[in-house]
Amino acid sequence: MSRRLTRPADVGEIDLLGAGMEELTGIASAFGLSLKEAEVVKGYFVGLGRNPTDVELHAISQLWSEHCRHKTFRGIVMDEDGKGIVDDILSSYIARATEKIGAPWVVSFLEDDAGVVRFVDGYGVAVKVETHNHPSAIDPFGGAATGIGGVIRDVLAVWADPIALVDVLCFGPPDIHQEIGEFLHPRRIARGVVDGIGYYGNNVGIPTVAGAVCFDEGYVGNVVVYAGCLGLLPLDRYARNPRSGDALVLIGNRTGRDGMGGASFASSSLSGKVEELRPAVQIPDPIEEEKLLRFVSKVRDEGLASAITDLGGGGLAVAAAEIAGRASSGCFLDLDAVHVREEMKPWEILVSESQERMLLAAPSGNLDRVMDLAEEEELEASRIGSLTGTGIFEASHEEATVMGISVEFLLHPPKSVKVARRRRVREFDLGMPEPTSVEGALLELLSSPNVSSRESLIRTYDFEVRGNTAVKPLEEPFGGPNDAAVIKPLDERREGIVISVGLKPRYSRISPYWMAASSIEESLRNNVAVGGRRMAILDNFVWGSPEDPDNMWSLVEAARACHDLAMAFGTPFISGKDSLYNESPLGPVLPTLLITAVGLIPDVEKSVTVSLKNKGDSIYVLGTTRKELGGSEYYALRGAGWGHVPKVKPDESKAVMDCLTAAIDDGIVMAAHDVSDGGLGVALAEMVLSSGLGMEVSLRSVPGDLVKRDDYLLFSESNGRFIVEVEMGSEGRFEEIADEKGCTYARMGRVRGDRLQVEGYDGRTIIDLGHEELRDAWRREQW
Amino acid sequence: MVRVAVLRVPGTNCDRETARAIEEAGAEAFVLHVGQLERGEEDLMNYHGLVIPGGFSYGDRIRAGAVLAARLGSKLDEQIEEFAASNRPILGICNGFQVLVELGLLPGFEGCRAALAPNESAHFECRWVWLKKTGSCDLAIGPPLQAMPIAHSEGRLVFSSPSCLEKAGSAGLIVYRYAKPDGSSADGEYPYNPNGSQGDVAALCNPSRMIMGIMPHPERAIYNWQTPLRLRPPAGLGIFRALISAAERSL
Amino acid sequence: MAPRSQGYKLKIEVWLKEGLVDAEGKTLEEALVDLGFPIESAKAGRVYEIILNVESREEAGEEAERMCDKLLANPVKDRCVVDIIE
Amino acid sequence: MAPRSQGYKLKIEVWLKEGLVDAEGKTLEEALVDLGFPIESAKAGRVYEIILNVESREEAGEEAERMCDKLLANPVKDRCVVDIIE
Ligand SMILES: Nc1ncnc2c1ncn2[C@@H]1O[C@H](COP(=O)(O)OP(=O)(O)O)[C@@H](O)[C@H]1O
Ligand SMILES: [Mg+2]
């Protein structure tokens, strides 16, 4: 637009056209842009022949933030000699895998607010996982709660009814003594985060059914909070056709001065100076959200809208630009029409991150009905503008145009260039003296923060609300750890949705590639353990600053593994997110990749759980146990930072998973448990303590190539393994299936008595523990 | 056919599965927003039974159930009185129980009041518990011992005086008490009694036997697949069947 | 919103009655002791600050009692403490 | 437990800072207006009554500040008001 903008008193003009290098640097840093970006912005306004308003620069700052535009993942990575490594991590590794797999049941991937896969005829499952790390560091309760609120709205933004929540949390060790600098103590953070998640999920009425908790020094300065949401949507109601002329309606909470600049805050490092961060605080209101989700599903069912999006990072600026971008058109916003809570400047209205708001596009003929529905749910709504055919994002205030920038320009920041420094991974295993008592080591492992029971946390979440949770996170009545949750979302169908996660951040100290590979395999394994199949996965990267070439290298390595393993297992990525710049004065966060897997089960009544079921049944181990103790809980317990990190052998794993799935479908699997943190020892113990029964097993038959060491056999964390309880009398059938699938397996023993009794490789009983001993160790309150 | 109204306001979130349970039990369920009743778009007297479901009405702000009770009490008190006076059954589940207590409909006998105080554990708790039938109510049929999940942070029933607990007990109005898996009394022991409720009270009936409040969620124990293996068979349906039989009388 | 001239500012505290286990207070007490504070005891309650448009101090006090009765407290378990500040 | 002779009784209120949405206060305000009370505004907070074993009033005040910092409040969003009663 060439017309000069008229400027009301509360709108500033920034002299970009007259800015020399020094001023430009100042402007760039004030608005969180790189110098290169500021130059591109200047060039744009030189083209327009005018200076930008502060409204425009704030909008650009938000839209071009790392958080909103994934600049690093979309950018170029070079090595230190300037040789290209990869151009666009997201397309080259993540999206490429999905495209090559070409799964016909993927409905929408990596484009909308959430990924969508087909569920049963006419229905899709939407999934999204987000991080809310910085907000949780400064306000654990509010930060985690708004993380849940935000990800629910991502699922609403694809017209799905939210049906389940997931939370994955990484904290500093609970037993550190001093507070470090101005950082909150890990226990206080953990308590706040867990309370916040429970508060939001319970109040909004969506069951929290799956998750994980990890403790490591690498999180003392950088807490990690992942929040995920699944939704169900009727596919024929998936409205995505915004048109020029459609009205834009803002629904929900009043806009206020909270969470200002959250998107750019998310991409800056934490200073530890709590007082400066106040504007970044967001206040959660789950009851407002509950009204929103009722409203959205009614609007969907009546087919009233053409598009919808949530207001997350960057607020209205980002939401409106994205809706306009989808319509390949422009938009017009009247900032004075926004329902506000307090008097605000126009730029503040545009970028505020007040929670519990959604933006809707609807043909103007439907507007009255939309407003009525909002009123029925006791929600506030305002018509704040419309989509236009101009390709321009226009905004007005006091009848004056205060913003006029091309939507294309807003949505496409210049490509970033980052440098990665290759690091050779050297693995060696110095070995470990044998412990005097493996039984003692097992009890110690059961009590360690990363293995022990999560019951006290999980029970503060309502995992039953909506009455559709078929497999619960806890196995009642003893609170045993199920590997995945199953939701039965449709009354008239028997199919269930299976939700699991994989998280192996401690392996990234040795190899980021195998860390990512193990995370993927673990998420699939967990899913298969309860009966899941046909899985799709989500990737969520939490890394330190991409300006650091070491971080960049590990990021590329992990992304490469994502590609390779997704291909190998045929599991497409449907969504994900990256959170970079997780830095504190204590250094970068431990590189952490969360993989969330979503599978199907044809009949929820065939779901398998962790607890032993019948005396006399046989216990099998599937898969191969190798000397892979690098990064293991056992080595960590004994202070060892070395070792061979578990690898993934996709063909072996697939055979094992196929075998288990077939046996479950055959109805001969009574219980199953994936072998992960703490190895076979912990897996066996968990199956016993989840039930009223015991087992008698021997390590002598366990397939593997270990030196003959009971501790290695018991505590190695090799991937691709399960413990399975096979119905007495069906052993022949089970072995037939296993042979047919090419699965490595061995019968270890049987369900017997009420203790865990393990015979070592040399025939001696090395473990003999009763329920009380096991449960006491496992439930020891750690945090 | 019996028509049962299920009330909701912002934050009520167990209305769908409660309606589903009512339909499984053989009646028609209608989820009504309290606003519809206030505006006169709906009339409670067109329904034969009323359920106030679980959830977090108004986020349990001030005190669980208090704000919804205030809204009902100030704007719909006559309708609710008329409904109860016409001897139609009212069931409050979890948050609904809290509302009935706040409204004073429960315990509902002379000289006694009650409250649902914060759990003794001081936090929200979701778990399956055992219930022993120790009283009678027109809204409860089912086995003497059954399992159901609870999910609440304010479920500790306290009476205005110890004699009220005795009165309620001897009148057979304490329909369910928390128990141990073998059916013996929980005797306040956690986690069998999950919240510290006086007398292990889990569900209470009024003297007319037509109003019941229950902290556990029967609507989450309707189907086999909802119920953990060891706690089967699910018995929640009995409560909705009873509700419907009671409602049938005003057909 | 500024209080109108005839506005009275009240502070109302709501505490669990003596004799009932104050679970939140107890948890708090334990947490504070854990952190090394020399705590004898701790109680937890809620507090509200309300600005009322009434004509007189007496009226403000009466309204406060009624608010406690109708909404803020359940007399079976709660105890209200009203303070008219200005 | 009776306070020891050197015990100090503190009352600590925790409020959301100005400018942050006080959802409970808003709900309360609406409910009170619905009930017909002449309400201008309402805010909600938490209040704690703590008995501390310290030697002096000053020390009590300092400990209170530290408790706010360490547990009762988050300085980013909350405001503590400490009152040493006796
Ligand atoms: N690292 C990633 N891996 C896979 N998908 C991603 C990644 N980052 C973003 N996406 C996908 O791109 C789409 C847009 O993501 P995002 O910008 O995070 O949405 P929102 O703004 O709603 O949070 C989503 O489908 C998301 O799943
Ligand atoms: Mg989004």
Side-chain angles (χ1 to χ4, degrees), chain B:
Chain B
M1 199 165 177
V2 169
R3 295 157 51 90
V4 179
V6 179
L7 288 193
R8 76 170 175 98
V9 288
T12 303
N13 55 41
C14 304
D15 50 313
R16 307 168 199 81
E17 58 269 36
T18 302
R20 174 176 72 183
I22 292 165
E23 308 226 314
E24 284 289 343
E28 269 183 291
F30 299 83
V31 175
L32 308 181
H33 196 292
V34 167
Q36 291 171 283
L37 292 169
E38 288 169 350
R39 291 190 296 271
E41 295 161 19
E42 287 282 350
D43 181 353
L44 218 43
M45 294 308 287
N46 289 335
Y47 300 87
H48 312 104
L50 173 65
V51 180
I52 307 178
F56 281 78
S57 55
Y58 296 101
D60 276 5
R61 289 167 192 155
I62 317 300
R63 182 173 69 255
V67 178
L68 174 52
R71 184 170 176 176
L72 291 175
S74 71
K75 302 209 176 136
L76 295 172
D77 51 339
E78 283 167 16
Q79 279 196 50
I80 291 176
E81 231 165 75
E82 185 188 356
F83 190 89
S86 66
N87 217 22
R88 300 174 197 218
I90 303 178
L91 172 64
I93 302 168
C94 194
N95 196 223
F97 188 4
Q98 292 159 340
V99 170
L100 292 179
V101 166
E102 288 289 335
L103 276 172
L105 290 173
L106 285 173
F109 50 90
E110 265 304 300
C112 288
R113 297 288 310 246
L116 286 154
N119 297 348
E120 256 178 24
S121 62
H123 55 70
F124 183 93
E125 184 130 347
C126 180
R127 68 162 70 240
W128 284 71
V129 296
W130 288 100
L131 300 180
K132 190 181 162 87
K133 192 139 187 268
T134 56
S136 69
C137 188
D138 289 2
L139 280 71
I141 47 177
L145 185 66
Q146 57 178 305
M148 254 182 229
I150 54 123
H152 60 247
S153 34
E154 296 174 41
R156 177 177 27 143
L157 190 96
V158 291
F159 282 104
S160 47
S161 89
S163 66
C164 294
L165 176 63
E166 253 165 61
K167 263 197 230 168
S170 55
L173 298 175
I174 301 177
V175 193
Y176 296 106
R177 294 181 201 251
Y178 300 111
K180 292 187 174 167
D182 61 7
S184 62
S185 157
D187 229 347
E189 188 185 331
Y190 179 86
Y192 308 107
N193 175 336
N195 50 33
S197 204
Q198 286 179 358
D200 300 321
V201 175
L204 205 56
C205 196
N206 80 336
S208 80
R209 299 286 201 275
M210 288 294 269
I211 300 180
M212 182 167 89
I214 179 166
M215 274 328 279
H217 287 269
E219 79 281 9
R220 301 182 186 182
I222 302 292
Y223 308 104
N224 256 325
W225 57 262
Q226 283 177 315
T227 312
L229 199 61
R230 271 161 226 286
L231 309 178
R232 288 179 193 173
L237 205 56
I239 287 177
F240 296 99
R241 291 229 169 94
L243 169 82
I244 291 167
S245 324
E248 254 160 14
R249 289 180 230 147
S250 57
L251 253 188

Side-chain angles (χ1 to χ4, degrees), chain A residues 563-705:
Chain A
H563 170 269
D564 296 352
L565 276 292
M567 291 297 297
F569 284 106
T571 49
F573 284 102
I574 54 167
S575 183
K577 185 112 189 182
D578 54 278
S579 160
L580 309 180
Y581 299 95
N582 289 276
E583 297 275 344
S584 78
L586 303 174
V589 72
L590 182 62
T592 304
L593 173 68
L594 167 68
I595 300 292
T596 308
V598 180
L600 286 190
I601 182 163
D603 180 352
V604 296
E605 300 225 33
K606 297 229 169 95
S607 307
V608 170
T609 62
V610 64
S611 64
L612 300 173
K613 305 297 185 304
N614 308 303
K615 284 204 168 136
D617 285 352
S618 288
I619 299 296
Y620 281 84
V621 58
L622 312 191
T624 305
T625 303
R626 300 186 165 84
K627 192 181 168 188
E628 294 175 316
L629 291 111
S632 69
E633 285 303 320
Y634 179 61
Y635 269 23
L637 199 67
R638 307 195 60 192
W642 60 76
H644 299 294
V645 76
K647 310 289 186 300
V648 178
K649 306 227 175 339
D651 293 336
E652 284 183 24
S653 302
K654 271 196 292 184
V656 165
M657 292 182 198
D658 287 350
C659 163
L660 181 53
T661 303
I664 288 174
D665 286 349
D666 228 59
I668 59 179
V669 174
M670 298 294 106
H673 194 23
D674 114 284
V675 180
S676 60
D677 296 351
L680 284 177
V682 165
L684 293 166
E686 286 176 342
M687 292 181 83
V688 169
L689 63 81
S690 304
S691 66
L693 300 170
M695 61 164 102
E696 216 176 75
V697 291
S698 166
L699 297 181
R700 300 168 87 169
S701 56
V702 172
D705 53 4

Side-chain angles (χ1 to χ4, degrees), chain A residues 67-70 73-74 90 94 109-115 128 130 154 310 318 322 539 541 573-578:
Chain A
H67 176 84
C68 295
R69 292 269 78 79
H70 314 290
F73 268 61
R74 290 288 185 193
L90 206 50
I94 313 285
F109 72 100
L110 314 184
E111 56 171 323
D112 288 320
D113 289 300
K128 178 67 184 252
E130 283 272 7
D154 273 324
D310 62 298
V318 172
E322 288 185 354
D539 59 286
F541 288 80
F573 284 102
I574 54 167
S575 183
K577 185 112 189 182
D578 54 278

Side-chain angles (χ1 to χ4, degrees), chain A residues 73-143:
Chain A
F73 268 61
R74 290 288 185 193
I76 293 166
V77 186
M78 298 193 306
D79 68 13
E80 287 169 298
D81 305 326
K83 255 186 44 213
I85 297 179
V86 54
D87 177 358
D88 196 332
I89 294 176
L90 206 50
S91 312
S92 311
Y93 295 132
I94 313 285
R96 173 146 319 145
T98 303
E99 282 154 12
K100 284 199 276 191
I101 293 165
W105 36 270
V106 173
V107 177
S108 161
F109 72 100
L110 314 184
E111 56 171 323
D112 288 320
D113 289 300
V116 182
V117 292
R118 209 170 291 285
F119 175 48
V120 294
D121 296 342
Y123 286 92
V125 181
V127 201
K128 178 67 184 252
V129 180
E130 283 272 7
T131 45
H132 230 213
N133 307 338
H134 282 38
S136 304
I138 58 164
D139 173 14
F141 180 90

